[in-house]
Amino acid sequence: MNPASLLKKYGIRPRRRLGQNFLVSERALRQIIEAAELTSRDSVLEIGPGLGVLTEELVGLARCIVAVELDEALVRVLRERLGERANLTIHQGDVLELSHVELVRRCCGDAESYKAVANLPYYITSRVLRKLLEEEPRPKLIVVMVQREVAERAVASPPDMSLLAVSVQYYSVPRVVGIVRRGAFVPPPEVDSAILQLRTRAAPPFPDVPTEAYFRVVAAGFGQKRKRLANSLSANLGIEKSVVSSALDRSGINQQARAEQLSLEDWARICRELASG
Ligand code: SAM
């Protein structure tokens, strides 16, 4: 049954505050499923199953699915429609307040190589992505529907980098699978969307630079919009400008550069030079 009929049948009015835009496009649904490369051995975390359109596909393809939904009314619909499936756990709760890893481990046995698949509620996209990428072990594959602009920022390259692009590309190899127009949802959101696939890396990209130090420097570099890199790094890391300037010189990076122009490798070089004084 399509989302419009389900909403009618259960007397549910979509709650915009919870980012409830239900997917109606069969094509977009297929693209998500294909990008998730599901096998009968997979454990899958679905965030925001809504009326269960995507969930229904997942239960037919994967070994174990945990679907986390905040809205109690939708949880009731999901339980009535799909609750009987042996490989599905429907968990009512806020995805930002729980440990993905613990939930998957508890429901699926282990979380060593799970996948995350979701049509994300847009008001929490960045926080969910950050959580998925930072909590270990991270999913081996993440396939999410996000705002088009977020997907394009995630796959950007210099000179259009952002903290989001560096974080996503540090932990994964991202790919925009397809653009999804707003008419593919009920009700339609205000912006177009995109399906983003993140294939997470087995190990951090710069083994000699600790992740924590790397992101301290990157966050400091992006800390002051439109400021030159040397000024932002010096102000936000509390390091003398002359020390920063010399580290930039030794890294082969122009003193006038801005954070948006740097590659992941550039940041690693700056970290090494700052660490060696
Ligand atoms: N998966 C469905 C689909 O594709 O049609 C619904 C996607 S809709 C964009 C986002 C879903 O996330 C809604 O069902 C909403 O209630 C749920 N949601 C919103 N905030 C949430 C949160 N903090 N934790 C878990 N689910 C949440």
Side-chain angles (χ1 to χ4, degrees):
M1 204 183 277
N2 70 46
S5 315
L6 286 169
L7 289 170
K8 199 162 169 207
K9 175 174 174 197
Y10 290 97
I12 287 176
R13 287 183 50 185
R15 294 167 72 183
R16 280 190 188 272
R17 194 176 61 77
L18 291 185
Q20 292 181 355
N21 303 102
F22 302 102
L23 188 60
V24 284
S25 158
E26 189 63 32
R27 179 163 177 268
L29 190 61
R30 290 283 132 243
Q31 283 182 305
I32 296 175
I33 293 295
E34 264 171 43
E37 300 170 5
L38 293 164
T39 77
S40 55
R41 293 185 306 280
D42 284 332
S43 298
V44 179
L45 171 71
E46 187 191 355
I47 297 161
L51 296 160
V53 175
L54 178 54
T55 324
E56 228 171 351
E57 300 291 322
L58 297 173
V59 289
L61 294 166
R63 181 183 70 86
C64 173
I65 297 96
V66 192
V68 183
E69 173 58 58
L70 181 60
D71 188 333
E72 288 179 22
L74 292 178
V75 168
R76 279 196 295 279
V77 174
L78 285 166
R79 294 220 162 104
E80 188 179 318
R81 295 191 60 227
L82 304 167
E84 311 269 292
R85 314 293 172 93
N87 60 345
L88 172 67
T89 305
I90 299 161
H91 181 91
Q92 194 270 318
D94 183 340
V95 73
L96 295 174
E97 308 258 300
L98 49 83
S99 155
H100 302 146
V101 171
E102 265 171 39
L103 186 65
V104 174
R105 202 172 274 148
R106 178 151 47 86
C107 301
C108 296
D110 81 75
E112 288 319 304
S113 57
Y114 73 104
K115 294 179 178 175
V117 182
N119 171 13
L120 285 179
Y122 292 169
Y123 74 108
I124 50 172
T125 304
S126 316
R127 280 178 287 168
V128 172
L129 281 180
R130 185 170 175 181
K131 211 161 169 292
L132 285 170
L133 290 170
E134 289 183 0
E135 198 182 343
E136 290 185 59
R138 54 190 64 84
K140 66 177 169 191
L141 195 65
I142 300 172
V143 179
V144 278
M145 180 88 77
V146 296
Q147 301 94 311
R148 177 177 183 166
E149 181 247 337
V150 171
E152 286 172 351
R153 269 173 46 217
V155 300
S157 46
D160 297 313
M161 296 298 279
S162 60
L163 189 50
L164 175 82
V166 176
S167 314
V168 165
Q169 294 171 29
Y170 181 89
Y171 290 112
S172 74
V173 178
R175 175 171 80 91
V176 176
V177 174
I179 303 298
V180 182
R181 303 282 168 204
R182 53 199 93 179
F185 304 86
V186 169
E190 274 159 26
V191 293
D192 288 337
S193 302
I195 300 165
L196 182 64
Q197 181 199 57
L198 309 180
R199 200 176 293 282
T200 56
R201 298 180 193 276
F206 310 109
D208 60 326
V209 180
T211 297
E212 203 230 334
Y214 186 86
F215 280 104
R216 204 171 336 112
V217 172
V218 174
F222 278 102
Q224 274 148 308
K225 282 232 158 24
R226 287 181 288 282
K227 264 209 169 181
R228 301 288 172 199
L229 194 59
N231 293 332
S232 306
L233 288 176
S234 165
N236 295 328
L237 293 171
I239 301 177
E240 292 245 344
K241 179 104 181 281
S242 59
V243 175
V244 171
S245 295
S246 141
L248 287 180
D249 271 347
R250 282 180 279 125
S251 314
I253 290 164
N254 187 328
Q255 297 289 333
Q256 301 302 311
R258 293 176 194 278
E260 295 78 6
Q261 298 171 309
L262 268 53
S263 67
L264 270 73
E265 179 56 55
D266 290 334
W267 289 110
R269 285 209 308 281
I270 297 175
C271 291
R272 291 185 194 109
E273 294 304 337
L274 283 175
S276 70

